[in-house]
Amino acid sequence: MNSKTPDTPHWDLGRIVTELRQTRERWRAGRSRDFNSREFPSRDKIDQVCLLLRSALFPLRLGPADLRREGEDFFVGHALDSALTTLRCEVQLEISHLERSGDTPISDAQARQRAAEIVTAFANALPRLRQLLDTDVEAAFRGDPAARSVDEVLLCYPGVLALVHHRIAHELYALGAPLIARIVAELAHSETGIDIHPGATIGPHFFIDHGTGVVIGETAVIGQNVRLYQHVTLGAKRFETAEDGSLEKGQPRHPIVEDDVVIYAGATILGRVTIGHGSTIGGNVWLTRSLPAGSSITQASSQSRDPHENGSA
Amino acid sequence: MNSKTPDTPHWDLGRIVTELRQTRERWRAGRSRDFNSREFPSRDKIDQVCLLLRSALFPLRLGPADLRREGEDFFVGHALDSALTTLRCEVQLEISHLERSGDTPISDAQARQRAAEIVTAFANALPRLRQLLDTDVEAAFRGDPAARSVDEVLLCYPGVLALVHHRIAHELYALGAPLIARIVAELAHSETGIDIHPGATIGPHFFIDHGTGVVIGETAVIGQNVRLYQHVTLGAKRFETAEDGSLEKGQPRHPIVEDDVVIYAGATILGRVTIGHGSTIGGNVWLTRSLPAGSSITQASSQSRDPHENGSA
Amino acid sequence: MNSKTPDTPHWDLGRIVTELRQTRERWRAGRSRDFNSREFPSRDKIDQVCLLLRSALFPLRLGPADLRREGEDFFVGHALDSALTTLRCEVQLEISHLERSGDTPISDAQARQRAAEIVTAFANALPRLRQLLDTDVEAAFRGDPAARSVDEVLLCYPGVLALVHHRIAHELYALGAPLIARIVAELAHSETGIDIHPGATIGPHFFIDHGTGVVIGETAVIGQNVRLYQHVTLGAKRFETAEDGSLEKGQPRHPIVEDDVVIYAGATILGRVTIGHGSTIGGNVWLTRSLPAGSSITQASSQSRDPHENGSA
Amino acid sequence: MNSKTPDTPHWDLGRIVTELRQTRERWRAGRSRDFNSREFPSRDKIDQVCLLLRSALFPLRLGPADLRREGEDFFVGHALDSALTTLRCEVQLEISHLERSGDTPISDAQARQRAAEIVTAFANALPRLRQLLDTDVEAAFRGDPAARSVDEVLLCYPGVLALVHHRIAHELYALGAPLIARIVAELAHSETGIDIHPGATIGPHFFIDHGTGVVIGETAVIGQNVRLYQHVTLGAKRFETAEDGSLEKGQPRHPIVEDDVVIYAGATILGRVTIGHGSTIGGNVWLTRSLPAGSSITQASSQSRDPHENGSA
Amino acid sequence: MNSKTPDTPHWDLGRIVTELRQTRERWRAGRSRDFNSREFPSRDKIDQVCLLLRSALFPLRLGPADLRREGEDFFVGHALDSALTTLRCEVQLEISHLERSGDTPISDAQARQRAAEIVTAFANALPRLRQLLDTDVEAAFRGDPAARSVDEVLLCYPGVLALVHHRIAHELYALGAPLIARIVAELAHSETGIDIHPGATIGPHFFIDHGTGVVIGETAVIGQNVRLYQHVTLGAKRFETAEDGSLEKGQPRHPIVEDDVVIYAGATILGRVTIGHGSTIGGNVWLTRSLPAGSSITQASSQSRDPHENGSA
Amino acid sequence: MNSKTPDTPHWDLGRIVTELRQTRERWRAGRSRDFNSREFPSRDKIDQVCLLLRSALFPLRLGPADLRREGEDFFVGHALDSALTTLRCEVQLEISHLERSGDTPISDAQARQRAAEIVTAFANALPRLRQLLDTDVEAAFRGDPAARSVDEVLLCYPGVLALVHHRIAHELYALGAPLIARIVAELAHSETGIDIHPGATIGPHFFIDHGTGVVIGETAVIGQNVRLYQHVTLGAKRFETAEDGSLEKGQPRHPIVEDDVVIYAGATILGRVTIGHGSTIGGNVWLTRSLPAGSSITQASSQSRDPHENGSA
């Protein structure tokens, strides 16, 4: 095609494809792993699994619009069958992926076996997860004066949706599927703005109101009957670095929040501190130390100053 | 199927389905309502209604890509016909749902009649809503130095999208469909990170820039020509509790913001306080008292301290 | 149809359509432009383009689930061909739209020619963008102790997704397609809660953790190896107003952040200030002045006060 | 819009819409019925019902690709629940539609009640239909030397698909839902080219090979173990006309085909004749009289003639 | 990738792609036309146009399920606007395609202008087409003793669907868009098994019963009130060949069927013969000569012969 | 749920599910095979494969609407990669399925290996298939006086579509995937009404006009440059039965049609007869004997008889 017609765009598709391949090859050259195929859990598949699990856990509210009570068990059984079968494949992919980089890669049959064990344990946990979630729905209904019914709470409250995902993700995390757990968590993060690491341990009757901007770290431990508002961070104060300068992973580094604590909007609590039973943390509070049970703490007051130094972008 | 083939996963589908049913029954046993069917507004249907209303309100910008001006009225009429018919069904479901728990449940015919009245009043309000939204688009265009045209504002600004949903939701809330109004609001919350309760009263020429993390409570009252930035909270200071300890619902508990006020990013204003006409609230300010007209207030300044106590998760 | 059947809803569709048209006409009458058709870039088309570009840049991770390495180049070539052809049409629409309001509107052929030039330059930049994004993925992996692999980072981290969109948007912004660039940015904003204006200049090895609520303004300049946490704002202190009271556009008004800076959650930095090389900005810090290299700054500490003045909505 | 831009097409949309409405009104004026709404069974809904019933009857072959035997009953129950609920609505629409034109229109509640009775009877018949269809699958497998397995027969043979639809349609026809039965039949007609009127009575072990062009009339009666090839017509000889010249409806006017008959391709049998047990009808035979048991009949032989008088279009 | 993993399939994708390109190039080398792009009407687009036109012509029966009478005109206007705009683009593609091979290719502007004229004329014809189709629906209802209502006829009868397509296709054929007309006809052919060439001229009150296998040629002329059954062919006797051996195109070569004729199943009529007013042609008749008005003709009778010489495949 | 609400339909879902399971179990009990899972090729997957292969064989006509010539190879490579990978899985399923019933079932690895070999051979044959199909397109263009261009032929002619499927199916049949080949053929049968068994051997330059009702049997052999019209059957005269009464499979039992033969509409040719080179078979001819080269044969003429014995249903 020597002479371009006036209609032809000017980019040289072949050359760009070649340069992109070279870039990929440079990137891969720096890594020892085999990149022959995806062999990695698929975000779309995990999304399907989550939608099926949500509808199996709450069939009449989050299931198909025409479901009647007589058909509930059939629907739940079919949705679970499909969700668990897909999940087993994805867990197998994760296991194979993780082991490939190790010294003694496991066989397909071993990966398949371990995936079946993990998903079986997860399946057995589902009735318990539903009971836990019922306490969260209850807590949301009681905690918000604007809530009219538990149905409204289940359908409308982003905090409840984030909890449904978290309780699924935490179970998978504990059973040994941390990548898939992370994807489950990020799907809720994208939909609600609430970012709970799958590793966080959260007791029953938990309620997050509004929710956008909440961040809860991997090693946080939250008791029962705790209430959080938007923009609350339960984070790490700083990262421990190993002698070689790399970050140490897996150390307890996020707060412990005991039972019956309320944390208002924008509060930031950092480090392995303990917020004692029944405490109240005021809005926008910045806290890096432990508090005894029954504490109440609020932010320093604002002052008047040059009104032109304001924040916008 | 006595001998499991190696391929069969190990979970016992039938047992898990049974346990989930028992869990649902325990939950339902604690409530007196009839759970025979969904009979509840559908989030998916409300989503469809919102998309249709958005395109009917702004046909050449938010309608189908191939729409020409000659066909505008036909499109608007067809989109409204479909949206309002669906909305009437959903409103009827909400009315029946709310009344079922009451002492004197209403008949299907009554619910149908009331739904038709609500949706008719809503339909009649649409031209007024479009006029209000035109003032919001105008305000966004004037308020952001980065805005190039009103078209860009309508297509790109999450604050404008949140306002389209809010003005629809507020009308439905006022007409007696609070659950559907809440779903309309949450759809925008999920898409934009802006959480405006349908009960909030907001005047014309309102603009929210960036928007993520904004929370506006149920009884907030906002005048005209007000501008807000990201992470601003107009919330309740604390909840009034009745003598029996339950939260009192419906009390005015959120701020009144008068005309021409600007509130910068991260500011938090709590309780039934009044921010006087023309005031400016600085970024990150924490405010629980009223301000006279023309006030300017900013946060206390930061100080240098141990650099290692920082926030991360 | 004189006598309405009981089934007929009571709204008068024809009247509402007429009133909506009159409202549109009033709005348009205040503007001089021709509104005969959309002739405006489509958000849906830009969304398609972004999904194709994402999968062409990272085919084995963000491409189709069944892609194998042998087929990578074919997939990349086909995805790019489709993405670039669609993009050229949208860029042509933007150019025509922008020029219509000007004094000397350009011809269709001229708009087509300029669009082809812009998209060709964009296409040629793609291998460079991929290299930049590889440094961002690397930075995310190193910066988060919870990250297990670069694959997890690419699939799960909203900060990485926001960067993929930003690097695309920034290129289009610089080449003269600011409206489309803005739509690309808003698509990521809606999905991640991270709001980066396409004009912002960002160096390699950039990492945003958690991300929800981050806002980065149009004229911000960020060096290499910078790390940000959730709710960080790099904004303008105040807007310069021209003599006629209108906002001045295009002035440098956002911070310069030099290499190796870390900014913790909730920090707000406003105005054309410079944060010197290697500085650390603590969580929730409010900053409107420049800092020398190596600075460390944190927020004032909180105090105890009336525990009932808390923030909720 | 007085002056058309060169871009505007020349048709006058408003005028054409008006003329089409006038045409519809003229048509409706000639009929007495109320045309306020569709209130008529939907072809799309019936199509959904058929797909669900097909997969519920043969779950492992016509159901979802990932179905395993453990989940079969759950799938069947859920598919039936959805299919039967939808079918009940459509049957109610048909009943109301048919009765509207009558002298004593029935109430919504009556129509709903009758629809529930019809669908209940239909549901109870499903296991019997599956047994009948098993005999048809068996007959197809035995009757075609090219068939390799019963699975191939179920997946590939249009004759079997047409029988699945017919056995459903015939049941609905007999129970009093002739319009829906007709739609069920036409869906198979469009997919296979086999046109069996729902009224036709067909015994077990029936097989149609190739099938395209087969027509079986409303009052045909077919015994067991009958085999048909493509283009066979079992039709009416002529229509009986009543004294007023209108066609008499419902009279027996199609053939009776006894057990163990084979009818080869292109044969045409017309009128209320009886083809005796075990007969064989040759290809292209034209037959308007009864045959005793055990008959064999073939077409007259062809002759050589002017080779240029051939058929083409 | 020197050493193939056991998982890699053995085909060489690159080589096959190359060989396919060489094959395409050989094919194109034998033709003089430019093959730079599709620039050809799209079957999918024509399919969309047909679905829209069908629903605009019969909105309450073939339109959306929730359409009410009040919204009919809005729906019709919007559907037509979309259908005609798409059709104009496709007609322009056809005109450009046809003219490209000619000696004096026309400009884009000319093609656009001619397309607008054709579609405008087509749009103006739509009310007339609807009136014609009303006569066909009427004829189907009267002609089939099994028909219960005109609604059933419109929804279920493949012959009516084929006529809707034919009357659209014939108009487009006559106006100068023969390729698109052919696609319209083939869409009905695939759905119904009825193959009517768009060139055929067909009067009002036309009815085809059952329909599968009917073929009507390009120059056939059919009067009013004609009835046809399945497998009827109105074809050409033989093709006229020009002196160079090529087929002569466009000559009248198919039958003329006058008013009130009935042609039964399987009859074949070939050549430019005339079937006189009121004639009846029996099933399977083979006819290559004209018949006077009022004729009745049937096939020779069958004889008994060796029962084993039968037709199957 | 003792007392049914008036709303509950009367069918007993649980009982019907149980009875359907018992019916399935009875059916399966009569067969020795394992029915634990589908493990059978999926019609939907084969459909996807066919659509991809069609667009890869003719990218600018049957590929995506926006494809340009520059992107052709990338599209073809990606479509083939996806099609062949899916096809390999389906072929593996077929092999495992066929072998399961045999005495020595093969391992998964063996089935995988054989599937890869079959699909590799198939992939290598694609350029040859495209060349063959080019001759068919050419033949269609030459053979129909109504055809205007080869593009029209490719887009509109059902005979060409059926040939595309047949040439794919025949290759798969010959390579050892007869079930999948059969599904490929049936997909075309459903769409075109043309039923060609994958086993039939067909030379280049083959053309079927109109096509509905054509049936070509498994062992038919067709030379080059042959033309067929609608309703032509190339079938078996009768089936050979083995001593035990079962049908003998795989015997040559369909006609051999030599080069340059034309067979007009409705002709039926049965048995292992040979139609000599250059013969013409007239419309509706019934033929069960061989013909020498250059023969011309037509049907016996029709006679007048009782006009009331006609065919309808």
Side-chain angles (χ1 to χ4, degrees), chain E:
Chain E
M1 221 163 50
N2 284 336
S3 61
K4 299 219 176 211
T5 70
D7 235 42
T8 312
H10 305 294
W11 57 82
D12 180 345
L13 197 52
R15 187 174 52 72
I16 297 164
V17 169
T18 301
E19 288 179 21
L20 281 170
R21 185 183 61 238
Q22 291 164 346
T23 309
R24 289 198 305 274
E25 281 166 0
R26 269 198 295 277
W27 165 260
R28 287 167 184 167
R31 277 134 232 286
S32 56
R33 276 176 305 132
D34 171 29
F35 277 95
N36 191 45
S37 73
R38 286 183 59 102
E39 289 175 335
F40 197 76
S42 148
R43 190 172 170 129
D44 285 346
K45 297 270 188 192
I46 308 294
D47 196 14
Q48 284 172 32
V49 168
C50 287
L51 290 173
L52 285 167
L53 289 174
R54 278 151 65 163
S55 62
L57 286 167
F58 297 96
L60 280 191
R61 285 295 163 257
L62 305 182
D66 62 348
L67 190 63
R68 294 168 310 110
R69 196 169 175 183
E70 196 192 1
E72 253 187 322
D73 275 4
F74 293 114
F75 169 73
V76 169
H78 179 53
L80 280 186
D81 192 35
S82 179
L84 297 173
T85 302
T86 304
L87 184 58
R88 199 191 52 181
C89 294
E90 298 301 305
V91 170
Q92 183 179 345
L93 284 174
E94 170 168 350
I95 290 170
S96 299
H97 174 77
L98 288 178
E99 298 299 329
R100 244 195 315 270
S101 38
D103 294 331
T104 54
I106 65 172
S107 71
D108 273 12
Q110 285 172 305
R112 186 175 177 80
Q113 180 63 25
R114 273 179 48 190
E117 287 163 13
I118 287 172
V119 175
T120 300
F122 174 75
N124 289 334
L126 284 170
R128 180 168 49 78
L129 294 190
R130 159 78 202 226
Q131 288 172 45
L132 260 176
L133 287 165
D134 283 344
T135 70
D136 299 327
V137 169
E138 195 80 40
F141 178 61
R142 287 205 197 129
D144 181 5
R148 275 170 183 77
S149 71
V150 290
D151 303 303
E152 181 187 0
V153 160
L154 201 45
L155 237 80
C156 300
Y157 278 53
V160 170
L161 178 63
L163 259 287
V164 174
H165 275 246
H166 174 69
R167 301 223 179 267
I168 291 168
H170 183 64
E171 199 71 31
L172 290 168
Y173 177 92
L175 288 167
L179 288 186
I180 290 173
R182 184 67 187 260
I183 295 172
V184 171
E186 280 303 325
L187 288 166
H189 184 191
S190 174
E191 200 170 338
T192 66
I194 298 171
D195 181 357
I196 310 177
H197 194 285
T201 304
I202 300 180
H205 294 277
F206 183 61
F207 174 43
I208 301 174
D209 203 0
H210 308 296
T212 309
V214 163
V215 176
I216 300 176
E218 185 175 16
T219 64
V221 179
I222 297 177
Q224 60 183 344
N225 209 25
V226 169
R227 197 158 83 230
L228 256 59
Y229 290 86
Q230 68 270 24
H231 313 149
V232 165
T233 295
L234 303 180
K237 203 160 66 178
R238 58 178 175 185
F239 298 137
E240 307 294 329
T241 44
E243 291 192 5
D244 64 351
S246 70
L247 298 173
E248 291 210 16
K249 308 206 166 190
Q251 303 281 34
R253 59 193 186 278
H254 302 98
I256 295 168
V257 178
E258 295 185 347
D259 298 351
D260 302 311
V261 168
V262 181
I263 308 178
Y264 284 96
T268 304
I269 307 176
L270 303 177
R272 191 52 160 192
V273 302
T274 297
I275 308 302
H277 175 282
S279 294
T280 300
I281 310 299
N284 274 19
V285 160
W286 175 268
L287 195 66
T288 59
R289 58 187 165 87
S290 291
L291 291 182
S295 303
S296 276
I297 188 166
T298 64
Q299 196 207 32
S301 60
S302 293
Q303 305 166 354
S304 290
R305 234 184 21 178
D306 172 10
H308 291 297
E309 291 193 358
N310 298 312
S312 69

Side-chain angles (χ1 to χ4, degrees), chain C residues 224-246:
Chain C
Q224 60 183 344
N225 209 26
V226 169
R227 197 159 84 228
L228 256 59
Y229 290 85
Q230 68 269 22
H231 313 149
V232 165
T233 295
L234 304 180
K237 202 161 67 177
R238 57 177 175 185
F239 298 137
E240 306 294 328
T241 45
E243 292 192 2
D244 64 351
S246 69

